[in-house]
């Protein structure tokens, strides 16, 4: 039977409507408007597209928002000084530096420089550590969006065999940590497979998964015979595999969508699956940061 396709776009729209009401109430009660700055270094086309989406949504929700574009050759010291300026700016509650950064800039130094209270990406080591012990203030946006999609789609997570493909700091490690917490919407038995896993073991692990989360960065990597009948398959991949005649990027996920959808119980499409959720979770974190600053 063909899988139910989970529309991240629809779930995201629903959450954004909830957030808009929260923003309006916060403004009415306290006069505080959530403030978000997105810093983009250079002109990587995928990054440009991501920050454009983030800014558009921030504006739709009535945020005070700044898109700060910096040249690809900005020095690390200048970037750190810029972050410090936003750390001190009371109108800004959330700071996001779009990754990846150019090679001459040390990404760790940049992430460490963001005030953890304004780290709406959830990448500062203080927030990473809090996540590990189940005390997160800000969950990283893509993993938070995945959990929200699973919960709002009615997927049973407690006791589920959950396999994550990929161990990145942005997706693989945090989603594994979120889903193993002893909490509602989590409490799964978690396995992470990665480039060090022998190929035959990789397939074996994936085939056991009730929930399969794929963030491998390889287009159409997961095949139908890796997937258990009825599994929930979350595809985090966004791979540009070509260009349409009108100049639009043609995207593919990390899952071989057409054959896998005949086997899975639930599946997220690319685009329109996890992507819109990531942006929405960033907005949710920024509203939370503004509320903390407002003391409500
Ligand atoms: N690059 C890819 N995903 C992300 C993300 O969630 N946050 C930031 N800052 N950069 C990214």
């Amino acid at each position: 039977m063909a899988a139910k396709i989970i529309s991240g776009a629809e779930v995201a729209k629903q959450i954004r409507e909830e957030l808009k009401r929260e923003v309006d109430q916060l403004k009415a009660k306290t006069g505080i408007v959530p403030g978000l700055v997105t810093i983009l270094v250079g002109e990587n086309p995928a990054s440009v597209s991501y920050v454009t989406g983030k800014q558009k949504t921030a504006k739709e929700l009535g945020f005070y928002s700044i898109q700060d574009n910096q040249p690809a050759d900005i020095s690390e010291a200048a970037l750190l000084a810029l972050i410090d300026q936003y750390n001190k700016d009371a109108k800004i509650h959330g700071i996001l530096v779009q990754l990846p950064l150019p090679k001459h800039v040390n990404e760790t130094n940049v992430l460490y420089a963001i005030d953890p209270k304004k780290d709406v990406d959830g990448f500062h080591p203080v927030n990473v550590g809090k996540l590990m012990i189940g005390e997160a203030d800000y969950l990283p946006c893509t993993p938070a969006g995945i959990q929200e999609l699973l919960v709002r789609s009615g997927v049973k997570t407690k006791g589920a065999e959950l396999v994550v493909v990929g161990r990145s700091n942005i997706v693989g490690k945090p989603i594994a940590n979120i889903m193993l917490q002893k909490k509602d919407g989590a409490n799964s038995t978690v396995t992470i497979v990665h480039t060090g896993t022998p190929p035959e073991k990789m397939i074996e692990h994936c085939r056991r998964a009730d929930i399969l989360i794929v963030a491998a960065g390889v287009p159409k990597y997961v095949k139908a015979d890796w997937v258990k009948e009825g599994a929930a398959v979350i595809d985090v991949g966004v791979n540009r595999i070509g260009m349409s005649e009108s100049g639009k990027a043609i995207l593919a996920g990390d899952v071989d969508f057409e054959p896998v959808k005949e086997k899975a119980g639930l599946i997220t499409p690319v685009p329109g699956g996890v992507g819109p959720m990531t942006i929405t979770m960033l907005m949710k974190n920024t509203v939370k940061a503004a509320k903390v600053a407002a003391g409500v």
Side-chain angles (χ1 to χ4, degrees), residues 163-239:
V163 177
V164 180
V165 183
R167 57 177 155 187
S168 70
N169 290 338
I170 293 182
V171 183
K173 287 179 200 157
I175 190 62
N177 263 309
I178 290 170
M179 296 310 294
L180 63 77
Q181 299 296 330
K182 196 172 178 178
K183 290 188 177 184
D184 288 345
N187 221 350
S188 305
T189 305
V190 174
T191 307
I192 307 184
V193 291
H194 45 73
T195 49
T197 308
E200 68 285 3
K201 287 277 172 202
M202 170 85 76
I203 298 173
E204 214 174 278
H205 285 298
C206 290
R207 280 183 184 150
R208 297 191 281 106
D210 302 311
I211 302 171
L212 183 60
I213 299 173
V214 189
V218 180
K220 303 187 183 185
Y221 181 59
V222 168
K223 307 295 180 200
D225 65 341
W226 299 26
V227 175
K228 179 166 144 181
E229 197 80 44
V233 179
I234 306 290
D235 188 350
V236 189
V238 184
N239 305 288

Side-chain angles (χ1 to χ4, degrees), residues 96-99 121 123:
L96 177 140
V97 179
Q98 188 64 32
L99 304 176
D121 241 346
F123 291 167

Side-chain angles (χ1 to χ4, degrees), residues 81-115:
L82 185 69
I83 291 169
D84 191 45
Q85 179 194 315
Y86 288 120
N87 279 340
K88 291 176 179 145
D89 184 342
K91 278 162 73 182
I92 293 293
H93 306 103
I95 302 171
L96 177 140
V97 179
Q98 188 64 32
L99 304 176
L101 290 167
K103 291 210 168 16
H104 70 277
V105 178
N106 182 316
E107 203 165 278
T108 305
N109 291 347
V110 169
L111 296 178
Y112 275 50
I114 297 171
D115 180 343

